[in-house]
Each structure stands twice: as structure tokens, then as C-alpha cells.
Amino acid sequence: MELMFQIIGIALCSTMLCLVLRKNNPEYATAVAILTTVLILGMVVSTIHEVILHVRNLAIAGGVNLSYLETVFKVISIAYLCEYCCAVLEDAGETAIAKKVELAGKVIIFCISLPVIESLFRLITALF
Amino acid sequence: MDVDLIFKIAAIGIIVAVLNQLLVRSGREDQAMLTTLAGLVVVMFIMVQQIADLFTMIKSVFGL
């Protein structure tokens, strides 16, 4: 709960700072925005750490192949990072670069998840 | 990664804006641009370090 309050407080403070800086030096406003997003993302990710440990223990107990779980985690982190970067870039006005980063994220996620899809097909064809 | 860093960057930005205005008014526009660039370089150093820390943390949290 305190985490939510902290994050809201930080976000509101840096919004005001961004507004003050944007008139004279817009680049510093973008820098403040980037740093704020890095900070908030860091706080959220370190909270998720516990959840990930629990999920890993559940997967081991359930007998799931750990390499598939690693793939899922990779995809999740790529999605988070890609979304973060796209939002920051769009705010800075570089929509073209943001779209290309989004495309890169989609391509990388697809390439990473290819072995999983392959083994799924093998499993299905092995049934027949 | 502290909240103080955000305030530091904002303070650097405001100081650079004030110096910029001073130098432009007294006619030294090239020095004004150099000050802005120097401030930007400092800010970018701090930013790159924080982003690298974030990536290391994401790697360690997700166990990749």
C-alpha cells in the first residue's frame, strides 16, 4: 500500500518538475521523465521478485519444464521493457522510433518463443 | 535509485536554464549553447548509469 502512495507521490512531483523544465529546456524534461519511469519500474520490478520465486516453486512442484518457464519470463520482461521504452519515446515526440522499438519487441518475442511452439507441434504430431 | 536523483536532474536543468538566459542576454550565445550541452552530457551520464542498473535488476529478478 505504501508502495502505491510512494509511486503516486513520485509521479506527481516529477510531472510538475517536467512542466517547469519543458518551457526552457525540453530535453531536461525528457530526462526527468526517463529517470522517473526508470525509478518507478525498478520499484515495481523488485516487488514482483517474490511473485516470480513463488511461480518458480509452483512450476517445479508441478513438474513443468523449467526452460519453458524461463521463456515465459523472458517474454514478460521484453514486453515490459518495450512498453516502457515506447511510452517514453512517444512522450518525447519520437513516434517513429517508438513504433520501430515496438516492432523490434514483437519480433524478438516471436523469435524467443519459437522453440516452445516447435515442441508443441512435435508433441501434437507425436500423438498421431 | 533514489528520488533525490530526480530532484538533482531538475536542479541541474533549472540552473542550466538560468545560466543560459544570463549568457544569452549578455551576448555570449556560443557559451550558452556550450553550457546547455555540458549539462546534457552530465545528465546523460547519470541516466545511462540508472538504465544500466535497471537492466541488471530486471535480469536478476527474472532470473535470466
Side-chain angles (χ1 to χ4, degrees):
Chain A
M1 201 62 197
E2 282 74 30
L3 188 65
M4 198 62 221
F5 295 151
Q6 280 177 354
I7 291 181
I8 291 181
I10 293 175
L12 288 176
C13 279
S14 30
T15 309
M16 295 310 297
L17 287 172
C18 273
L19 280 175
V20 165
L21 289 170
R22 205 172 285 278
K23 267 184 312 219
N24 299 337
N25 295 355
E27 50 265 15
Y28 287 94
T30 314
V32 165
I34 290 180
L35 271 174
T36 315
T37 45
V38 162
L39 171 63
I40 295 183
L41 195 62
M43 290 162 87
V44 165
V45 163
S46 51
T47 315
I48 273 190
H49 193 36
E50 293 285 327
V51 175
I52 297 217
L53 286 177
H54 274 287
V55 168
R56 199 169 265 136
N57 292 340
L58 274 177
I60 294 178
V64 174
N65 193 353
L66 267 187
S67 67
Y68 296 151
L69 195 64
E70 298 302 324
T71 310
V72 168
F73 284 157
K74 266 192 206 171
V75 167
I76 291 178
S77 49
I78 291 181
Y80 277 163
L81 285 175
C82 184
E83 190 265 337
Y84 152 71
C85 186
C86 286
V88 165
L89 283 172
E90 275 179 15
D91 240 7
E94 304 292 335
T95 320
I97 306 181
K99 291 286 194 290
K100 290 301 153 283
V101 168
E102 193 177 329
L103 174 69
K106 287 179 189 166
V107 167
I108 293 178
I109 286 181
F110 182 63
C111 290
I112 283 188
S113 55
L114 211 49
V116 178
I117 300 179
E118 210 176 340
S119 60
L120 178 66
F121 281 161
R122 276 214 201 101
L123 188 66
I124 293 180
T125 51
L127 284 176
F128 295 110
Chain B
M1 172 87 242
D2 265 337
V3 197
D4 301 335
L5 217 50
I6 300 182
F7 292 136
K8 255 190 231 172
I9 304 290
I12 293 181
I14 293 182
I15 290 178
V16 163
V18 164
L19 278 178
N20 213 356
Q21 289 291 319
L22 270 175
L23 287 169
V24 160
R25 295 263 189 265
S26 62
R28 304 195 198 151
E29 293 200 4
D30 42 357
Q31 287 188 10
M33 199 174 84
L34 279 175
T35 334
T36 313
L37 276 176
L40 261 180
V41 165
V42 165
V43 162
M44 264 203 271
F45 266 126
I46 300 179
M47 231 165 46
V48 163
Q49 208 162 13
Q50 291 306 316
I51 295 181
D53 280 345
L54 174 75
F55 289 162
T56 318
M57 187 201 307
I58 284 190
K59 259 193 180 170
S60 75
V61 160
F62 282 95
L64 301 173

